[in-house]
Amino acid sequence: MNSTPAEAAPADAEHGGGNGLLWVLLAAAVVFAVVRPRAPMDYLRLVDWQTVGALAGLLAITQGVERSGMLQAAAARLLSRTTELRNLVFLLAASAAVLSALVTNDVSLFLLVPLTRVLATQAHLPLARLVVIEALAVNAGSALTPIGNPQNLFLWHRSGESFVGFMAMMAPTVAVMLFWLFAAIRFLVPRAPITLKPSTEAVPMQPRLLALSGVLFVGFVIALDQRWLLAGLAGVFGAFLLLRPRVLLGVDWALLAIIALMFVDLRQLAELPAVAALLGQLPIGEGWRAYLAAIVTSQFISNVPATILLEGFVHDLPGLAAGVSVGGFGCVLGSLANLIALRLAKVPNGLREFHRISIPFLLVCGASALLLRLG
């Protein structure tokens, strides 16, 4: 994406200053390696390569779409039709929630966050706040369906529920989350007119690059569905390397390293005998205790590992499903979607803005969903 020097600086600052989490995770991995050493190949087995590989392919395809100029054209058209900030945010949040229920939370972020970033280059918008709201929206919307996020898919297979039955089980919690999401938008976003920035040099459309990215996206999704990860990655990276090699220069390799290290660190944390012993002693098998245990655990090890860890100790599947869904809010580690949204946005102080909104949101939403369950 072309940008003025003033616009490029914050993005560079974010990539430079936004890697603090990477160094923290790397330091934690070193500590684990010293305290609990294991064979080198064991570390590779800790990583969910299906997830990392899927993100790598989507990051490359997203770069292709951005460089094609399509997002800039779509942003200009959207801004010509939407003149009020709050209406724009409602539209983006609703789109994020619906898309995440249909095509998973991660994929919906790869579609919407780059568009939102381009919108912010064309108009004066609170980019960090918009991206945080989109992260909350995908966490809420993806909780509705069995295919919306990895933890739902895992629990759906364990539950024996039908597709519709699982949705009915999750609907009350999702309704609470969406209610507070749109209430938060009314509180956080004023009804102010959108002010456009001075027009800059238009980014030329590249229809061939857009077509290539579209074909690769469809093929890559099919490959992921068929579990042909290596073939899908070879197709995506091979095509870009041969036809548009500059696209690969924009891939956020640090994000992939962060996700891989999260698996290494958090799975080792979950394997600690003290953790298993503690969970075995706590009365978290049923009811509100199961729900709260899922929320709290998600804050430390993310909601997907928390689901897998707690499944052996919690017998209340609806409580566990609701807890890990709500647990995606709060700490940025609560959901991988949070990290993906912030890295795609490339905004300075993104973590600070995220926690300023997400932690109060977790407290209000978590308490409301708990009252609903108790009622």
Side-chain angles (χ1 to χ4, degrees):
M1 182 183 69
N2 291 353
S3 60
T4 65
E7 290 164 348
D12 294 339
E14 173 64 12
H15 275 294
N19 291 332
L21 180 60
L22 173 62
W23 299 116
V24 170
L25 292 170
L26 185 60
V30 171
V31 171
F32 273 117
V34 172
V35 176
R36 294 173 58 84
R38 54 205 306 161
M41 290 303 296
D42 286 346
Y43 290 104
L44 295 179
R45 296 187 187 100
L46 291 171
V47 179
D48 186 337
W49 292 109
Q50 189 74 21
T51 297
V52 175
L55 290 177
L58 290 171
L59 282 170
I61 293 169
T62 301
Q63 280 296 309
V65 173
E66 286 197 53
R67 289 173 179 265
S68 73
M70 187 273 287
L71 292 180
Q72 289 80 355
R77 176 170 296 186
L78 181 57
L79 289 172
S80 69
R81 298 184 178 184
T82 308
T83 59
E84 186 180 282
L85 179 58
R86 185 182 290 173
N87 289 340
L88 176 63
V89 178
F90 272 129
L91 176 62
L92 292 173
S95 300
V98 172
L99 280 173
S100 64
L102 300 176
V103 297
T104 77
N105 52 3
D106 297 343
V107 173
S108 60
L109 288 173
F110 278 105
L111 295 172
L112 287 174
V113 174
L115 173 62
T116 306
R117 197 174 73 241
V118 173
L119 285 168
T121 67
Q122 299 183 9
H124 294 280
L125 301 175
L127 177 58
R129 183 164 298 184
L130 265 62
V131 171
V132 171
I133 289 172
E134 287 173 351
L136 299 180
V138 300
N139 281 326
S142 67
L144 180 61
T145 64
I147 60 172
N149 53 52
Q151 66 267 21
N152 273 16
L153 189 61
F154 175 81
L155 292 172
W156 180 42
H157 289 316
R158 293 294 191 276
S159 69
E161 290 277 359
S162 66
F163 193 98
V164 175
F166 190 92
M167 288 180 62
M169 179 184 77
M170 296 302 300
T173 302
V174 173
V176 169
M177 292 191 288
L178 291 177
F179 171 81
W180 285 115
L181 172 67
F182 290 107
I185 292 174
R186 290 184 64 86
F187 176 76
L188 293 170
V189 182
R191 297 188 62 180
I194 296 174
T195 305
L196 299 180
K197 293 181 178 179
S199 58
T200 56
E201 182 181 352
V203 177
M205 285 288 293
Q206 301 184 55
R208 290 184 179 179
L209 178 55
L210 179 60
L212 172 64
S213 301
V215 170
L216 290 176
F217 177 75
V218 173
F220 191 60
V221 170
I222 293 173
L224 292 179
D225 183 63
Q226 298 297 319
R227 301 289 179 177
W228 299 336
L229 175 62
L230 292 180
L233 286 173
V236 170
F237 283 88
F240 280 132
L241 191 61
L242 290 174
L243 302 174
R244 298 295 179 102
R246 291 181 63 85
V247 167
L248 300 181
L249 297 177
V251 174
D252 189 353
W253 301 107
L255 173 60
L256 298 176
I258 287 171
I259 301 301
L261 283 170
M262 279 186 64
F263 282 115
V264 171
D265 292 346
L266 299 181
R267 284 183 168 174
Q268 289 187 95
L269 178 65
E271 289 174 357
L272 291 176
V275 173
L278 177 62
L279 292 175
Q281 294 173 0
L282 294 175
I284 59 173
E286 302 286 345
W288 64 268
R289 292 183 178 88
Y291 168 78
L292 291 180
I295 292 177
V296 173
T297 306
S298 297
Q299 301 306 296
F300 292 97
I301 64 171
S302 190
N303 51 10
V304 177
T307 304
I308 298 171
L309 174 65
L310 293 175
E311 192 261 344
F313 301 95
V314 173
H315 313 298
D316 181 356
L317 188 138
L320 176 59
V324 293
S325 296
V326 175
F329 308 128
C331 177
V332 70
L333 292 179
S335 172
L336 289 181
N338 300 334
L339 287 170
I340 292 170
L342 293 180
R343 293 294 302 195
L344 289 176
K346 303 176 184 176
V347 287
N349 302 318
L351 276 175
R352 183 186 307 168
E353 180 72 0
F354 179 86
H355 289 118
R356 195 174 71 83
I357 296 173
S358 187
I359 290 176
F361 190 86
L362 169 65
L363 297 176
V364 173
C365 188
S368 301
L370 176 59
L371 290 175
L372 180 66
R373 293 186 56 78
L374 292 177

